Amino acid sequence: MSTRSRTPFYIAIFLIIATGISLAVWRHIELGIPWLTGEQRPVWMVEARVDFDATGGSVTAALNVPDQPPGFHTLSELAASPGYGFSILEQGGMRRAEWTKRDVTGPQTLYYKVQLIPDPDVRSLPAKVKPVARTVFWEEPEATAVREILEQARQRSSNPQSMTRELIRLMQPDTGTQNTTLLIAGENYLDLLVDMLNFSGIPARAADGLKLEDARRRQPLLAFLQIHTGEKWLTFDPRTAEQGVPEDLLLWRQGSASLLDVVGGANSEISFSMLRQTIPAIQLAAMQSKETGLGFLSFYELPIEEQGMFRMLLLLPLGALVVAFMRMLIGIRTSGTFMPVLIAVAFVQTTLIPGLVAFLSVVAIGLLMRSYLSSLNLLLVSRISALIILVIFITAGLSVVGYQMGFNTGMTVTFFPMVIIAWTIERMSILWEEEGAREVMRQGSGSLFVAICAYLLMSAPLAGHLTFNFPELHLVILGLILLMGNYTGYKLSELRRFTPMKVYD
């Protein structure tokens, strides 16, 4: 008689476990849910302060604000401007914060605050329209100087990036050449670089960046140079020719739009303050999941009451895993198959010591009352029904006594499953009559030991975090339980029984 192949069974288990792990990894990457509890993530709070003197009429102030700056993800933004209307507008591909108010006189102060999360994977948004180099005209003798410098940079380079670096080096004041001295003397250095690159056919623009330092106030923006390679914008430091955006640099403005426009005011100024904060990673993940539309995949979208219920329910598979391991591999005998899981759930609610005291008290008093009911020769249904009522009275009495003695945990005794305890008392009583007190103590102590092991696992903060935030990991638990169900070898507790057989080896 041929035996059935177990290969499909093992393949199915492998697929179940692989699916659970894959979904958990996907959730971690896409939603940013941390693997460990207590993880903190840095968040930068940047505040822009706008000061100006209103001239007595209507005021419109528009500030260029970041639009997905490279290296950062915008978490939230708000404005503090009493009496002003505030809106975020899209103008020419740029985001601008606009304040409006009528009949304004005297000094005014406006605030714009943004929370940013460092994220090296964030890149600048691609240009909606491919940038082209704008036309620039030069007069002599500047035109000749520009052509000569650009020709030198072109000879020393092979692509737009290297040409930009070489041009910056050639335009440094310390080069001492006549062409450089002539050009720099009459114009702003950064504007000159932008014009020269556009003149050479490379789309270029100015950008403003903010160097992030914790607890800094009244910080100015730093000027940077950007060129378009045909695929993306690249950033250069016009002072050092260094390419790329440093981790501590926030590109506030990218493009030719003005940084600040104030209509109806004079003497406008802008300064920046910043503060580095930390928030729990799980809180940050919940906030981001709502923004990305993936919040429906999380239990955090449920009401708080239902979240608490699921936090407890999702711990049950861990208890089932412990019971399966203890019974099928270790060989510990328990009173009932999954009674230890229910006891462990009660321990999670009551904590271990009060839960043990309450459980032992209820079972001990119940056994005494069960012995009296046995002497009455009642039918099984009547006996079980009477036991349930008696267990309720016992737990209620323990709760009242515990409360009067000042133990608040006495009130949580009601978490014990009444019907299951009643059946446990009935089974222990029958087992006492048939097998004796020793077997009752063995199964009772085994149940308590397994329940304590399950409680220690279920009450671990990491276990609660993983089961609630990565529910797909229960597929891994399912696969492990199915694997253990396929085990037909000796249990660990049976090895002692067969120790005398070693003498025959």
Side-chain angles (χ1 to χ4, degrees):
M1 182 176 180
S2 61
T3 59
R4 188 181 222 177
S5 173
R6 307 293 291 178
T7 302
F9 172 76
Y10 290 118
I11 293 176
I13 290 179
F14 171 77
L15 292 176
I16 290 173
I17 295 177
T19 301
I21 295 176
S22 300
L23 289 175
V25 172
W26 176 86
R27 188 185 293 268
H28 169 72
I29 295 174
E30 288 295 322
L31 302 183
I33 299 177
W35 293 115
L36 303 176
T37 60
E39 284 192 25
Q40 299 286 320
R41 295 286 169 81
V43 174
W44 284 98
M45 171 68 80
V46 180
E47 177 186 85
R49 171 174 172 165
V50 177
D51 295 288
F52 63 93
D53 295 324
T55 56
S58 299
V59 169
T60 299
L63 172 67
N64 190 285
V65 295
D67 185 14
Q68 190 175 309
F72 294 90
H73 174 74
T74 302
L75 181 61
S76 65
E77 53 186 351
L78 55 90
S81 47
Y84 279 82
F86 177 78
S87 301
I88 299 291
L89 306 178
E90 295 279 348
Q91 295 181 353
M94 300 293 173
R95 297 179 73 246
R96 296 182 72 80
E98 184 177 273
W99 293 267
T100 55
K101 189 178 181 181
R102 295 180 183 272
D103 303 324
V104 188
T105 305
Q108 303 292 310
T109 302
L110 308 175
Y111 293 95
Y112 168 82
K113 299 179 181 180
V114 59
Q115 276 188 312
L116 298 158
I117 309 164
D119 187 351
D121 295 329
V122 175
R123 299 289 182 265
S124 295
L125 292 173
K128 296 180 180 178
V129 179
K130 185 177 180 180
V132 295
R134 58 184 173 83
T135 303
V136 180
F137 295 98
W138 302 88
E139 295 183 357
E140 296 295 347
E142 287 84 359
T144 300
V146 167
R147 291 190 185 95
E148 290 183 2
I149 293 177
L150 289 175
E151 183 60 28
Q152 294 180 45
R154 186 176 293 107
Q155 293 296 329
R156 300 180 184 181
S157 62
S158 59
N159 52 40
Q161 299 94 298
S162 59
M163 182 171 175
T164 302
R165 292 194 297 268
E166 291 302 323
L167 178 61
I168 293 174
R169 294 189 182 103
L170 289 172
M171 291 296 293
Q172 295 301 311
D174 57 6
T175 58
T177 64
Q178 290 183 351
N179 290 332
T180 301
T181 305
L182 172 65
L183 293 172
I184 294 179
E187 294 189 46
N188 176 277
Y189 172 63
L190 181 60
D191 292 339
L192 178 60
L193 287 175
V194 172
D195 289 342
M196 293 179 70
L197 287 168
N198 278 284
F199 183 76
S200 68
I202 301 175
R205 67 185 185 184
D208 292 321
L210 186 63
K211 187 175 177 59
L212 298 177
E213 298 180 69
D214 189 21
R216 300 287 290 181
R217 301 175 63 248
R218 299 282 183 173
Q219 296 298 295
L221 290 173
L222 302 176
F224 285 84
L225 173 67
Q226 289 186 324
I227 67 166
H228 199 272
T229 63
E231 298 179 357
K232 59 182 179 179
W233 287 100
L234 298 180
T235 303
F236 295 83
D237 189 332
R239 296 161 290 275
T240 63
E242 182 179 352
Q243 180 180 335
V245 181
E247 292 183 359
D248 60 348
L249 181 71
L250 168 64
L251 285 179
W252 188 272
R253 181 180 69 94
Q254 303 180 73
S256 59
S258 59
L259 175 64
L260 175 64
D261 295 317
V262 178
V263 178
N267 303 321
S268 59
E269 295 180 353
I270 183 169
S271 61
F272 297 85
S273 302
M274 61 209 72
L275 184 67
R276 188 180 186 274
Q277 304 170 321
T278 57
I279 63 174
I282 190 66
Q283 176 185 345
L284 180 59
M287 296 170 64
Q288 289 181 298
S289 65
K290 292 181 180 179
E291 294 180 3
T292 58
L294 296 176
F296 68 94
L297 298 175
S298 171
F299 286 110
Y300 290 101
E301 291 294 306
L302 298 175
I304 299 297
E305 182 179 358
E306 295 189 19
Q307 287 187 35
M309 177 188 68
F310 274 103
R311 282 186 184 274
M312 182 57 61
L313 287 178
L314 292 171
L315 290 174
L316 292 178
L318 290 177
L321 177 65
V322 172
V323 172
F325 177 78
M326 291 294 183
R327 286 179 63 94
M328 291 188 286
L329 299 184
I330 305 299
I332 296 179
R333 302 184 64 178
T334 61
S335 179
T337 305
F338 288 102
M339 178 64 183
V341 179
L342 300 175
I343 298 175
V345 171
F347 287 168
V348 171
Q349 297 287 344
T350 63
T351 68
L352 185 58
I353 301 302
L356 275 173
V357 173
F359 177 77
L360 293 175
S361 300
V362 171
V363 173
I365 298 174
L367 283 174
L368 291 176
M369 293 184 174
R370 167 61 177 78
S371 63
Y372 174 73
L373 293 176
S374 181
S375 63
L376 299 178
N377 294 322
L378 299 176
L379 296 175
L380 176 63
V381 175
S382 177
R383 197 163 60 234
I384 293 296
S385 301
L387 268 179
I388 292 174
I389 297 174
L390 290 175
V391 167
I392 292 175
F393 275 111
I394 294 169
T395 53
L398 289 175
S399 297
V400 172
V401 171
Y403 178 77
Q404 294 297 331
M405 295 178 63
F407 298 106
N408 293 333
T409 52
M411 301 295 292
T412 60
V413 174
T414 53
F415 282 107
F416 283 108
M418 303 300 176
V419 177
I420 301 299
I421 287 184
W423 269 108
T424 300
I425 294 173
E426 175 68 17
R427 291 187 58 183
M428 284 187 172
S429 179
I430 295 175
L431 190 64
W432 192 306
E433 295 172 357
E434 296 179 352
E435 303 290 340
R438 182 176 180 180
E439 187 63 23
V440 172
M441 294 300 296
R442 176 184 297 178
Q443 292 190 16
S445 60
S447 297
L448 280 180
F449 176 74
V450 175
I452 291 173
C453 292
Y455 160 78
L456 293 176
L457 179 60
M458 294 165 66
S459 62
L462 181 60
H465 172 78
L466 292 178
T467 55
F468 187 76
N469 293 289
F470 299 96
E472 51 277 345
L473 289 179
H474 289 89
L475 293 176
V476 180
I477 297 176
L478 173 62
L480 294 176
I481 291 176
L482 292 176
L483 279 177
M484 286 189 287
N486 196 45
Y487 178 72
T488 56
Y490 290 115
K491 298 178 176 61
L492 188 62
S493 60
E494 293 176 335
L495 297 180
R496 184 178 178 183
R497 291 171 50 196
F498 297 98
T499 301
M501 297 181 63
K502 291 184 178 179
V503 298
Y504 297 104
D505 294 343

